[in-house]
Amino acid sequence: MILWAIFGYLLGSVPFGLVITRALGLGDLRQIGSGNIGATNVLRTGNKGAALATLLLDSGKGAIAVLLARHFGGETAAVLAGGAAFLGHCFPVWLRFQGGKGVATFLGTLIALCWPVGLIACATWALTAAISRISSLSALLAAALAPVFAWGLGRLDIAAVAVFMAALIFLRHHANITRLMAGTEPRIGRKD
């Protein structure tokens, strides 16, 4: 189980947003917009393709960690690897533990762990984003409700890991929460 957690962490710690923006000559993502390494900040570069690639790869690393661990190690290994991949994205060893906010990895991990919970969380994010045009609000609402969705579907194991990930998402979004309360949080697609 320890090896699956280490595998998940190392896979999760690959900073795809940073790699993609550097490869495309868009600069150091940590010096752009919010300084975050995730898809929302990549979108602030104006390159929608790079943002989509970051979204898919960041969500994919959580899903791949879960699927491989489940196949070779069982359900407990899958939950551990998924949680560790999420942790790796938020606190990657390669970037001195200064990573992303974890939303895409959170959603990819949930889809792989229990696809109904993951899809409902994605739908919550998408609906909130369509109405508010605020990525952080969408992420916070999806994260807060994911454990409830898992519990409602009788998946207490998924609810437990969802609580862990949701707590970290809220912690990583502390500045966003302050801006949301002040009414100054930027809208999706805005370049800073």
Side-chain angles (χ1 to χ4, degrees):
M1 292 302 151
I2 292 171
L3 291 177
W4 283 115
I6 292 170
F7 166 75
Y9 173 82
L10 291 175
L11 182 58
S13 69
V14 177
F16 285 115
L18 189 61
V19 171
I20 290 168
T21 52
R22 282 194 176 166
L24 294 175
L26 299 173
D28 186 343
L29 190 57
R30 295 168 295 182
Q31 305 301 319
I32 297 169
S34 67
N36 186 33
I37 63 168
T40 300
N41 201 42
V42 174
L43 187 60
R44 290 187 180 109
T45 68
N47 191 316
K48 292 179 182 178
L52 179 60
T54 301
L55 176 68
L56 293 174
L57 290 168
D58 280 351
S59 59
K61 63 188 179 185
I64 289 169
V66 168
L67 295 174
L68 286 175
R70 177 180 287 140
H71 180 75
F72 293 107
E75 195 62 27
T76 301
V79 172
L80 284 172
F86 173 79
L87 193 64
H89 178 80
C90 294
F91 305 102
V93 66
W94 324 116
L95 300 178
R96 297 184 185 141
F97 306 104
Q98 300 296 315
K101 295 179 181 176
V103 179
T105 307
F106 165 74
L107 293 173
T109 299
L110 280 182
I111 289 171
L113 283 172
C114 182
W115 66 266
V117 174
L119 291 182
I120 295 168
C122 287
T124 301
W125 187 97
L127 181 61
T128 307
I131 294 168
S132 71
R133 304 289 302 158
I134 301 174
S135 180
S136 61
L137 179 62
S138 307
L140 292 166
L141 190 57
L145 292 177
V148 177
F149 302 146
W151 177 78
L153 291 171
R155 291 299 307 267
L156 299 182
D157 56 336
I158 307 303
V161 75
V163 166
F164 162 72
M165 292 189 289
L168 272 180
I169 285 173
F170 270 78
L171 179 67
R172 302 292 288 167
H173 280 81
H174 63 88
N176 302 85
I177 292 168
T178 300
R179 288 192 300 271
L180 282 167
M181 293 174 67
T184 59
E185 182 71 345
R187 306 275 172 173
I188 293 172
R190 179 185 133 191
K191 291 183 187 179
D192 288 347

